[in-house]
Amino acid sequence: SINKFKGNLIKEMGDGMLAQFNTAIDSVLCAIEIQKQARQQIKEKIRIGLHLGDITFDHEDIFGDGVNIASRLQSVADPGGIYISESIQKSIRAKSAIKTKYLGEVKLKNVDYKVNTYCIVEEGLPIPSRAKIEQLKGKSLVNKLTRSVYTYIFLLLLIITGVYWIQNSPKTGVVPISSLLILPFDNFTGDESLEYVVAGIHDALIGDVGKISALRVPSKRTANAYRNVEKSIPEIATELNVDAAVETSVTCYGDNICIQVKLVSAFPEEKQLWVRDFNIEKADISNLTKKISREISQQINLNLTPREEELLSETKPIDPEAYEAYLRGMGHWELGTKQDLDRALGYFQLSSEIDPDYALAYLGISRTWGGYVQHGFLPYHEVSDKVDNARKKAIMLDSSLVEIRAGMATKYTWGDWNWQKAEKEFLKAIEINPNYAFSQAYYSHFLAIMGDPEKGLPHSELAMELDPFNTLYMSIHGQALKNAGKYDEALELLQNLYEIEPDQGIALPALWAVYHELGDTQKALDIAKKIYMLRENELALRSLEQGFEEGGYHKAMQRTAEMMITQRDSIYFPSWQIFTLYCRAEIKEEALEWLQKAYEEHDSNMPYISIDPLFDFLRDEPRFHSILKKMNLPELKS
């Protein structure tokens, strides 16, 4: 195609190509033909970026903004799509009938200004959703790189990359499927009181399909965001970057359960690939989602691994009443109020009494006791034994429960400081279900604590992909970027999150930390005030104000720490909080004193001393090294 349209193939770039054309229209026509042939012949997804701009020739290679912008447009393009810069759009708009759609000013890697970007509108090409367009406008990718070169004006660069080598499906005859969304189930039983059952089966199906490692499956929260939304499957698929969707309806629920399942492709057009009706006895409901998962894998021509075959194999039937009690409990547990947690615990305990060998009942009990702590209704020490006992019972009955494995991994990391057991449980959880966002997000932080934050970043990125509407995982990734020293990327992500959800409890401290590391003390102080305002801590707010007037940011941190110390007899302030304030004030002696207290209190934040840049000024101190050694944490250079 490049030769046909008088282009010049400059070089291959990994899984991509770099090409130059004589005219803008030739490049666009070539790009359209490439996408058409890709859909028809190889059934793969290719991303293409086009730009007219400056380049530099250097030993038969080319460099410069022209290459850079084309490459970065490619990297943000939709799979199967064509993104062009404004320079291309202006060159073709008067010379052809090719339609374009304006996407806005996009911030690109290695480009120090925003680029007006368009996509080509053509049959078979994906159109970015509003959510994708907003993401493009606010997404910063990497730091600017510079090169001193001789500039040559040329017309165009074409980048073709991002070919996803996944299995072709001879059964479907469409673009191969490597990701799919399990849409919320429709309740066609005529009984609205069965919504909790329908929601429970939906959750179970996401969990079981998620065990297939060759598929990316967005979370239940993400799927539920599309309940009662007037959007086509291609529109939804474009927003979430998935290939297909599963539509399911429950039509009867009594002694038997009737369910219809449809698999629908999104590209190159919306098309029903497979439909099947299931009619099973209620006692076999625990195996229903496993059967559906195996059928889906067969329909899209995915070979399950021996481990996946084992995880999706049928188990003994369960008592229908125990299952229903569990589902009712989950319906209340998700609401999170004290009253609902009380009801959830009652249902889970009833489920375990009906069937003492039902693992999910004990999973529910464990989650509920944890919920009391999470929502501030009970202190951890009052429920820790109850959580552990229920977890142990659940894992003894079913070792494949990913929620239990992930929960144990976090307990070993932030509770017990047992790194060997923590890693074992994280890896087991990811093996069981690589699409469980919780495991991926917190494993990212575990790897950072173990001294390798870069290695952890892909895991927190994947968590955001799996659950893009969950601000918790955005916050966790922001923290991971900060701990990896990628302050600019962390700042942009956290600033965007702050605009979306200004009261996010994890994002705010992370944003404070990033401003601190960047030396923007005024914005750091503003975020600190926001945090203490949300906590309704008037003493801290006054201390920040008075300290800042007295001696600026560092004095504000010092005075706030001193206030907390004087008030500890009547108000509980964790030693860790005082320690971090002294670190922000850069006062070593007091910081080390309160670090020791936080260690003695076994504060759950202690593992971060191995990696958080806030503590870099202490890394040469013997007392700091001593605590790292006691915790068996890696020692980094200051």
Side-chain angles (χ1 to χ4, degrees), residues 584-601:
R584 290 185 169 97
E586 297 184 358
I587 301 175
K588 282 189 177 183
E589 190 63 32
E590 284 80 355
L592 290 167
E593 176 186 345
W594 288 95
L595 173 62
Q596 178 63 37
K597 293 180 185 294
Y599 170 74
E600 292 169 358
E601 292 172 5

Side-chain angles (χ1 to χ4, degrees), residues 26 125 139 266 270 287 543 549 572 592 609:
D26 280 343
L125 299 182
K139 190 171 182 180
E270 183 173 339
N287 289 316
S543 298
E549 290 177 5
Y572 175 64
L592 290 167
I609 65 172

Side-chain angles (χ1 to χ4, degrees), residues 282-283 285 316-325 351 354-355 358:
K282 188 185 290 186
I285 194 169
K316 70 173 185 177
I318 65 169
D319 188 305
E321 292 184 5
Y323 182 71
E324 288 190 22
S351 180
I354 295 171
D355 185 351
Y358 186 35

Side-chain angles (χ1 to χ4, degrees), residues 448-506:
I449 289 166
M450 293 294 98
D452 199 346
E454 288 279 355
K455 187 177 179 181
L457 289 177
H459 293 278
S460 53
E461 288 175 342
L462 177 57
M464 288 199 304
E465 290 181 18
L466 294 170
D467 203 348
F469 300 126
N470 191 331
T471 55
L472 168 64
Y473 298 137
M474 295 172 68
S475 302
I476 287 174
H477 185 55
Q479 289 177 316
L481 288 167
K482 181 260 297 181
N483 289 336
K486 298 180 180 294
Y487 302 129
D488 291 339
E489 292 179 60
L491 179 61
E492 188 142 13
L493 172 64
L494 293 168
Q495 283 176 329
N496 290 337
L497 178 53
Y498 183 68
E499 293 178 5
I500 297 168
E501 191 172 340
D503 298 344
Q504 219 289 341
I506 293 179

Side-chain angles (χ1 to χ4, degrees), residues 76 103-109 114-115 117 129-142 464 474 481 488-500:
V76 300
L103 306 181
E105 293 183 332
V106 177
K107 184 73 176 72
L108 301 171
K109 288 182 181 179
K114 292 186 176 180
V115 176
T117 301
S129 65
R130 181 178 299 177
K132 173 67 181 288
I133 292 171
E134 290 304 312
Q135 181 187 32
L136 288 170
K137 291 177 181 178
K139 190 171 182 180
S140 175
L141 303 170
V142 287
M464 288 199 304
M474 295 172 68
L481 288 167
D488 291 339
E489 292 179 60
L491 179 61
E492 188 142 13
L493 172 64
L494 293 168
Q495 283 176 329
N496 290 337
L497 178 53
Y498 183 68
E499 293 178 5
I500 297 168

Side-chain angles (χ1 to χ4, degrees), residues 564-573:
M564 291 182 179
I565 294 170
T566 61
Q567 296 293 323
R568 282 192 104 201
D569 290 341
S570 56
I571 304 173
Y572 175 64
F573 291 110

Side-chain angles (χ1 to χ4, degrees), residues 512 515-516 518-526 548 552-554 557:
W512 180 6
Y515 280 134
H516 176 89
L518 290 172
D520 194 336
T521 56
Q522 183 57 60
K523 289 184 179 177
L525 183 67
D526 291 342
F548 187 76
Y553 175 76
H554 291 88
M557 301 296 106

Side-chain angles (χ1 to χ4, degrees), residues 116-237:
N116 281 314
T117 301
Y118 298 75
C119 70
I120 299 295
V121 178
E122 186 82 10
E123 183 178 357
L125 299 182
I127 303 299
S129 65
R130 181 178 299 177
K132 173 67 181 288
I133 292 171
E134 290 304 312
Q135 181 187 32
L136 288 170
K137 291 177 181 178
K139 190 171 182 180
S140 175
L141 303 170
V142 287
N143 296 331
K144 181 186 175 185
L145 300 174
T146 58
R147 182 184 181 95
S148 178
V149 290
Y150 172 78
T151 300
Y152 177 80
I153 302 297
F154 82 125
L155 283 180
L156 188 71
L157 287 175
L158 168 67
I159 303 287
I160 310 165
T161 73
V163 179
Y164 299 94
W165 297 108
I166 53 180
Q167 287 180 286
N168 182 30
S169 173
K171 293 185 179 181
T172 63
V174 298
V175 172
I177 295 171
S178 63
S179 54
L180 58 86
L181 176 69
I182 313 294
L183 287 164
F185 285 22
D186 290 319
N187 178 9
F188 292 152
T189 65
D191 187 350
E192 292 184 2
S193 69
L194 293 175
E195 285 296 332
Y196 74 95
V197 173
V198 175
I201 303 173
H202 177 227
D203 189 23
L205 182 58
I206 290 174
D208 281 333
V209 177
K211 293 171 183 175
I212 302 174
S213 59
L215 285 175
R216 179 172 61 83
V217 184
S219 70
K220 176 184 176 182
R221 180 196 299 260
T222 299
N224 283 338
Y226 291 95
R227 183 183 299 279
N228 300 324
V229 172
E230 295 297 325
K231 290 184 178 180
S232 67
I233 285 180
E235 287 176 315
I236 295 171

